[in-house]
Structure formats: structure tokens, C-alpha cells
Amino acid sequence: MDGGIYTREKCSICGKVMRYNGRWCSCPDHPTNRARTYIVKFPGGIYKTFVNLTEAEQELNHLRHEKAERGRDFNPDDYRSLRPNSFAALAPKYLEVKRQDGLRSIGKVSFMINAASAHFGRINLRDITGGMIADYLRGIPGISQKTRHNHMAQLRNFWRWCLSRGDVITLAEFPAFPDIKYELGYRKILTWELQEKVLNKLKEIAPPKVWLGCDMLATYTALRPDDLRRIREGDFDGEWIHLCNPTKLKNRFKHIHLHQDHVAAWKGLQREYPAMPDMPFFRHHGKVRGTVRRNLVFGPRHLSDWWNKACKALGISGVPLYPGTKHTTATETAKMLGADRALKASGLTNKAFDRYCQVENTDAYEVVREIRERKKGEVVPMKRMEEK
């Protein structure tokens, strides 16, 4: 039979190594001298130490049963003391791979995976069922359904990575993940007139590059706020911006054809603040204050903070940077040109445009107009007959 129970203790009388005889570990020549610690050894490099002989025997029987049941699928790593195939052991390796891949949202992913690691601990991955995952997700307090769905998506990615390793779980052991439904709410937006008032206020109170950045977000809906922070001085060729590695598009380019107003503003700022081609364009100028250093790229919330100041000065509330620029422009463009033409001009995918554009497609209005005309019928004017 596979495996056995052993001990490192020796007889205190003759010095011989004690052996397990089916009842206890003792010296062959002095049976009354018995061991106090026991080691379970099993093929595959499994070693476990016990101070209770009954527990050691139970563990050995369990290992023999598991190997008989699983056959060729028996993985010794699942039964080692360190549990190398447990959630807690694999989570740091997964996060390190994502970190080396340059995942930009590594902070959020680390938070979600570490939270699950604290819950599942040293349970082997193959022993975690879909029901256990569903219970864990339902038990996370104080989060929305969208956030709960994000937790589920990160766990599913983690399991897929473990499956791809080939030595952790098999496809048959891949758990079923719960279907978490959610519906994104609509954000409050502005009209073009109010948006222009906010931009004019920014031009009045904010640094020139802050106004230019917000005006570009309100004009080119394919741009994201973090895209602006990635633009270098050398990315502008006189009319176009060629942005490498834009947000959510690794190893790709995003090309933005600037309007002449923005071209003139951009060139003027480059003359006023000359810099090397590898310097970020949207950077701080002027005096150093607090943690803000000269030539340091704008922080992630810099444009948003100035936008909120301008809104507050105009008495506008509840419209952050994203809805006030991208969402507003997409909606107003659809009103003016129709949803189809606005989509082509936006540079967005259908899914993203549907989120930004809060206007019914013009086709629906055309159908309504045709129905009304058909129901009312065509009125043919009749000429009066002149009396003879």
C-alpha cells in the first residue's frame, strides 16, 4: 500500500530507530519505549507531522482513499502542508503576473483578489465550488450590483489563469460562476449652452492648459481624461495628435485630428512653454506649491477639480467632468445629426456610445411621423365648381 507512518525518534536504551507496527511506533527490542511524534509520508513528496497517532492514521487513510478515487488526476500538491494550490498561495503569483503585464487597474484588481484570498484562505482551488463563490459574493456588504459583478469577473479571470497553468485544476473542476445582473443608471448632463458657459468660466479662472484639456474632452468624445495625461510634446505634428498606448488600448495608437481653434491654442502654449519632445504636454507650470512640482504631469483629478470649481461658480451642481463633457457632447450631437451619424463621428464603440448618448435614435421619430400621416390619411383639396 502507498505511504506509511514513521518517526525520527530513537530508543533511549539501544539507540535503534522506532518503527510503526500497526498499533504504535516503538523500538523492536524495547516495545515499551514508544514515540511521541509521527510523520506521514506519501508518494509525491507529501510529509505531514502529527503528535497524535490516531490523527496520523486517519490522514494516511485519507490520502490512500483520495489517490484511489482520483487515479491519474491525483495531485500531491493539493495535500501538502503548505497547500501550494490553495487560493492564498496562488493569489500573489497571479497578481505578480498582472503587475508584470502592466495592468493599469492593478490596484483595484489586487483589492478584489486579496479580499477573496482572506475569505477562502488555504482551501485548495479544486475544493471551492460555485456555490461557495456565490455565497462569498452575496456576502460582501455595502456594494452595488455593478461592483459585485466586478468582483465576480475578477475571480473568474483568476480561475481561468489557474486553469491555463495546467497543474492546478482541470476543466471539469472549473466552477460555475453566478450570473449577477445589474443596470447602469443615467448621469445628469448639460446642454451645449451650459457646457459652453462652464468652458468659458474655465478659460477665465483656470490655467490655459486646463481649459484646453476640458474643451478637448468636450469636443473629441473618443478622448478620455487619462489620455490627456499620456500626451507628450512630440505627439503633436501640427494638426494631429498621435497618442501611443491610450487608455484601455495597450500597444495601440489613437489619432485625433484637431480643430483649427485647438491647433492655434496648442501651438501658442508650446511657444509659451517650450519643452523636450518626451515631456508631458499637460503639466504644471509656474511656482511650486505643496506637492505640485513644476513640469509634473497633471494629477488624475486635476481637470475634474477645476471643472467642479467652474460649475460651482455658475451654480451648477451634480454634473462631474465626464457627464459634462463626453456624455453631453454625445447626446447633443445625436440630437443635431442623428444617432447613426453621431456614432460614426464619435470614434466610440456601439456599447460605449449607447452609454453616452441618451437620445432615442432618429429612426424612431421617422417611424412615428409615417404612422401619424398614414392614420390621418392624405387630404386632397377639392376645387369648387363655378356656377354657370
Side-chain angles (χ1 to χ4, degrees), residues 252-308:
R252 303 240 337 246
F253 280 89
K254 184 179 285 187
H255 307 281
I256 305 296
H257 193 180
L258 297 187
H259 187 270
Q260 288 304 311
D261 294 345
H262 292 150
V263 170
W266 196 286
K267 290 180 177 179
L269 288 169
Q270 283 189 325
R271 286 193 298 269
E272 186 175 356
Y273 306 105
M276 298 298 289
D278 61 341
M279 289 284 290
F281 178 82
F282 288 98
R283 64 188 188 277
H284 294 283
H285 303 287
K287 296 181 180 180
V288 178
R289 66 181 188 280
T291 58
V292 177
R293 302 193 308 273
R294 187 178 297 120
N295 293 329
L296 184 70
V297 66
F298 285 172
R301 294 193 55 81
H302 189 64
L303 295 182
S304 179
D305 290 342
W306 275 107
W307 175 272
N308 292 337

Side-chain angles (χ1 to χ4, degrees), residues 320-332:
L321 178 64
Y322 240 81
T325 54
K326 295 167 69 72
H327 296 195
T328 296
T329 298
T331 302
E332 293 294 307

Side-chain angles (χ1 to χ4, degrees), residues 97-383:
V97 169
K98 293 300 178 182
R99 196 172 286 109
Q100 292 177 1
D101 289 345
L103 183 67
R104 295 189 179 118
S105 57
I106 186 63
K108 294 180 180 179
V109 173
S110 296
F111 173 78
M112 295 179 186
I113 294 298
N114 288 332
S117 180
H119 177 82
F120 292 114
R122 307 205 70 81
I123 302 177
N124 282 328
L125 228 66
R126 71 177 184 84
D127 295 329
I128 300 176
T129 64
M132 294 169 67
I133 295 172
D135 291 341
Y136 162 70
L137 293 172
R138 281 196 297 267
I140 302 176
I143 62 173
S144 65
Q145 283 296 96
K146 175 64 169 64
T147 305
R148 207 178 305 278
H149 178 273
N150 292 344
H151 277 265
M152 183 277 297
Q154 292 305 326
L155 287 180
R156 185 170 55 198
N157 291 341
F158 171 69
W159 250 271
R160 286 172 177 168
W161 174 80
C162 293
L163 178 64
S164 68
R165 286 172 63 94
D167 61 349
V168 179
I169 57 172
T170 63
L171 185 59
E173 294 168 337
F174 195 91
F177 286 82
D179 182 19
I180 299 177
K181 299 183 182 300
Y182 64 92
E183 184 175 350
L184 293 174
Y186 286 107
R187 293 183 174 185
K188 184 179 177 182
I189 61 174
L190 303 174
T191 62
W192 256 336
E193 290 75 15
L194 282 177
Q195 185 191 73
E196 195 63 24
K197 286 183 179 180
V198 176
L199 292 172
N200 289 335
K201 177 58 71 172
L202 279 172
K203 201 170 187 177
E204 176 185 327
I205 66 174
K209 288 191 176 181
V210 170
W211 163 80
L212 179 59
C214 291
D215 197 40
M216 289 175 64
L217 291 176
T219 306
Y220 315 108
T221 50
L223 273 178
R224 293 170 171 268
D226 204 46
D227 287 338
L228 299 179
R229 300 175 64 241
R230 300 169 193 269
I231 298 175
R232 304 288 170 180
E233 291 278 355
D235 293 339
F236 177 64
D237 68 1
E239 288 189 3
W240 291 75
I241 290 175
H242 307 282
L243 177 59
C244 180
N245 289 330
T247 310
K248 296 189 177 183
L249 292 174
K250 186 177 179 182
N251 296 327
R252 303 240 337 246
F253 280 89
K254 184 179 285 187
H255 307 281
I256 305 296
H257 193 180
L258 297 187
H259 187 270
Q260 288 304 311
D261 294 345
H262 292 150
V263 170
W266 196 286
K267 290 180 177 179
L269 288 169
Q270 283 189 325
R271 286 193 298 269
E272 186 175 356
Y273 306 105
M276 298 298 289
D278 61 341
M279 289 284 290
F281 178 82
F282 288 98
R283 64 188 188 277
H284 294 283
H285 303 287
K287 296 181 180 180
V288 178
R289 66 181 188 280
T291 58
V292 177
R293 302 193 308 273
R294 187 178 297 120
N295 293 329
L296 184 70
V297 66
F298 285 172
R301 294 193 55 81
H302 189 64
L303 295 182
S304 179
D305 290 342
W306 275 107
W307 175 272
N308 292 337
K309 287 180 184 178
C311 287
K312 186 176 180 181
L314 295 171
I316 299 172
S317 62
V319 187
L321 178 64
Y322 240 81
T325 54
K326 295 167 69 72
H327 296 195
T328 296
T329 298
T331 302
E332 293 294 307
T333 304
K335 288 180 181 177
M336 182 178 68
L337 302 177
D340 293 336
R341 290 183 63 191
L343 173 60
K344 291 179 181 178
S346 69
L348 299 169
T349 63
N350 285 18
K351 187 175 181 181
F353 185 81
D354 289 343
R355 285 288 303 129
Y356 294 141
C357 179
Q358 301 179 19
V359 173
E360 188 181 59
N361 197 317
T362 51
D363 291 342
Y365 175 77
E366 293 298 325
V367 171
V368 170
R369 186 175 62 82
E370 293 289 341
I371 292 174
R372 295 292 294 177
E373 291 181 359
R374 180 69 180 83
K375 286 174 67 177
K376 289 182 175 293
E378 185 178 359
V379 178
V380 179
M382 303 291 291
K383 292 182 179 181

